[in-house]
């Protein structure tokens, strides 16, 4: 009987052993809950459209929802700062862009983040050029003619922007620097008011993102002179680039990508990058991107990190040179 009792005791111990040696759910596979993708602008704009286009496809690849959270303010720096300070666990991501990662850290002295140190880049989504629009009363039908007109009347031509330090503002400044012309800045609070005054002739020039320009140009209400990418846009195939019109190499494009907080484990970054690349191979996603006048640009995390470094170097120097800084 004593031997039988020992055997039963040993069997009971062995039954309990696997539970002790292999605790359940000690390291659940990522992701095991929804992921927040912070868009640092109001809903409905181009940034928001791009984020939602890739988020829907990435959700399917990852098996968890990517929930968009719009956190606007201070040119996008409020939402971007929120991402920089989030836990580096892969459950808070941010939509990065030219404004937030290349311009804002210099434009706003207290932006609260370093674009190189405070983020783990996941990958680029797309890049998109601007298009130079003029009021129909302007006696210029090409970039060369616009430059000649501006040189003949220094400071007389007014250009609108969507706000001081915006990509549209600095893209125009870059053009003026390259062309050696003086034009006068009139900042607005967004594209809508700027286009309204351009149509009314209160300003003569506006470097617009492509979607709002399509209908206005096709209807003949505004004239398109050039696009600021290095190649022509599919949205405006008959409009030559600025580089084709006497300023070789000129480029002023907006970049969009996804970042995570610095310190996010590399396996998580790799999984997110794979899901993003898969999204950018989807024709439906590419259709949404094309509708925003942009072009898909899948990259590795390292390639996006290098892109952030180049863009910040380029645009921060321009911000400092022009003194376009918020106090």
């Amino acid at each position: 009987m004593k031997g039988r009792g020992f055997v039963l005791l040993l069997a009971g111990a062995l039954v309990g052993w696997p539970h002790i040696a292999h605790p359940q759910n000690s390291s659940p596979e990522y992701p095991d809950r929804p992921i927040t993708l912070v868009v640092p602008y109001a809903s409905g704009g181009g940034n928001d459209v791009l984020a939602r286009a890739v988020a829907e496809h990435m959700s399917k690849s990852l098996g968890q929802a990517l929930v968009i959270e719009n956190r606007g303010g201070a040119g996008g720096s409020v939402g971007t700062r929120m991402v920089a300070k989030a836990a580096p666990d892969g459950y808070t991501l941010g939509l990065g862009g030219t404004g937030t990662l290349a311009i804002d850290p210099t434009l706003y002295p207290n932006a609260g983040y370093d674009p190189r140190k405070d983020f783990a880049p996941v990958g680029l989504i797309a890049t998109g050029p601007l298009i130079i629009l003029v009021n129909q009363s302007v006696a210029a039908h090409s970039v060369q003619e616009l430059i000649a007109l501006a040189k003949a009347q220094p400071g007389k031509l007014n250009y609108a922007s969507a706000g001081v330090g915006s990509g549209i503002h600095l893209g125009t400044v870059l053009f003026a620097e390259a062309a050696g012309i003086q034009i006068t800045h009139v900042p607005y609070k967004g594209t809508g008011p700027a286009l309204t005054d351009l149509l009314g002739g209160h300003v003569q020039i506006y470097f617009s993102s492509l979607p709002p320009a399509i209908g206005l140009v096709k209807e003949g209400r505004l004239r398109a002179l050039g696009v600021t990418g290095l190649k022509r846009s599919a949205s405006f195939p008959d409009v030559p680039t600025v580089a084709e019109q006497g300023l070789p190499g000129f480029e002023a494009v907006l970049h969009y990508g996804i970042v995570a907080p610095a310190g996010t484990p590399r396996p998580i970054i790799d999984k997110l990058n794979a899901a993003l690349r898969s999204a950018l191979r989807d024709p439906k996603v590419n259709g949404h991107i094309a509708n925003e006048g942009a072009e898909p640009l899948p990259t590795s995390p390292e390639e996006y990190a290098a892109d952030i470094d180049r863009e910040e170097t380029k645009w921060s120097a321009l911000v400092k040179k022009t003194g376009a800084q918020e106090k």
Side-chain angles (χ1 to χ4, degrees):
M1 291 296 294
K2 289 183 179 179
R4 177 186 169 95
F6 175 76
V7 170
L8 290 173
L9 181 62
L10 178 61
L14 290 173
V15 169
W17 177 256
H19 177 73
I20 297 170
H22 302 285
Q24 295 179 354
N25 299 323
S26 59
S27 56
E29 184 178 356
Y30 172 85
D32 69 338
R33 63 181 189 273
I35 301 165
T36 297
L37 176 57
V38 177
V39 176
Y41 302 99
S43 62
N47 290 275
D48 189 57
V49 171
L50 290 176
R52 292 178 189 277
V54 296
E56 181 181 356
H57 191 287
M58 289 177 69
S59 295
K60 296 174 184 177
S61 298
L62 295 167
Q64 289 288 343
L66 259 74
V67 181
I68 302 296
E69 181 173 339
N70 295 95
R71 284 291 187 97
S77 63
V78 171
T80 305
R81 182 166 60 246
M82 172 184 166
V83 175
K85 297 184 181 303
D89 56 9
Y91 290 98
T92 301
L93 309 175
L95 182 75
T98 301
T100 55
L101 300 181
I103 296 173
D104 285 357
T106 304
L107 182 69
Y108 298 97
N110 298 312
Y113 57 85
D114 184 311
R116 295 178 178 84
K117 297 179 181 178
D118 292 336
F119 301 99
V122 172
L124 275 166
I125 297 172
T127 63
L130 302 172
I131 186 163
I132 305 175
L133 302 178
V134 296
N135 182 275
Q136 289 287 13
S137 65
V138 175
H141 291 77
S142 68
V143 167
Q144 297 101 317
E145 290 181 2
L146 180 64
I147 293 172
L149 187 64
K151 286 184 175 180
Q153 307 173 35
K156 298 287 186 175
L157 294 177
N158 296 328
Y159 72 90
S161 81
V164 173
S166 64
I168 287 170
H169 172 208
L170 293 178
T172 315
V173 170
L174 189 68
F175 170 76
E177 292 267 325
I181 60 175
Q182 296 177 31
I183 48 180
T184 300
H185 181 210
V186 181
Y188 290 82
K189 293 183 178 180
T191 289
L195 283 173
T196 296
D197 270 13
L198 181 66
L199 286 164
H202 303 292
V203 291
Q204 290 76 50
I205 307 165
Y206 185 59
F207 280 53
S208 176
S209 55
L210 270 57
I214 294 172
L216 295 171
V217 172
K218 287 183 177 179
E219 293 165 10
R221 300 175 68 191
L222 294 173
R223 187 183 308 131
L225 302 187
V227 291
T228 62
L230 289 177
K231 62 181 182 180
R232 296 193 184 194
S233 167
S235 300
F236 291 93
D238 297 328
V239 178
T241 67
V242 174
E244 289 179 73
Q245 301 184 73
L247 296 178
F250 180 85
E251 182 183 32
V253 297
L254 305 180
H255 293 215
Y256 310 90
I258 293 178
V259 295
T264 301
R266 182 58 192 242
I268 290 177
I269 295 296
D270 287 341
K271 194 163 191 176
L272 291 167
N273 179 265
L276 177 57
R277 282 175 175 266
S278 177
L280 296 178
R281 290 192 294 268
D282 184 83
K284 182 180 177 182
V285 173
N286 287 337
H288 286 301
I289 292 173
N291 288 340
E292 292 306 306
E295 180 179 344
L297 188 62
T299 63
S300 67
E302 288 77 16
E303 288 169 331
Y304 188 24
D307 181 83
I308 291 171
D309 180 66
R310 285 192 301 270
E311 287 291 288
E312 198 281 335
T313 298
K314 172 181 177 178
W315 294 109
S316 66
L318 195 62
V319 171
K320 293 172 183 175
K321 183 173 183 178
T322 60
Q325 290 177 272
E326 295 286 341
K327 306 302 181 185

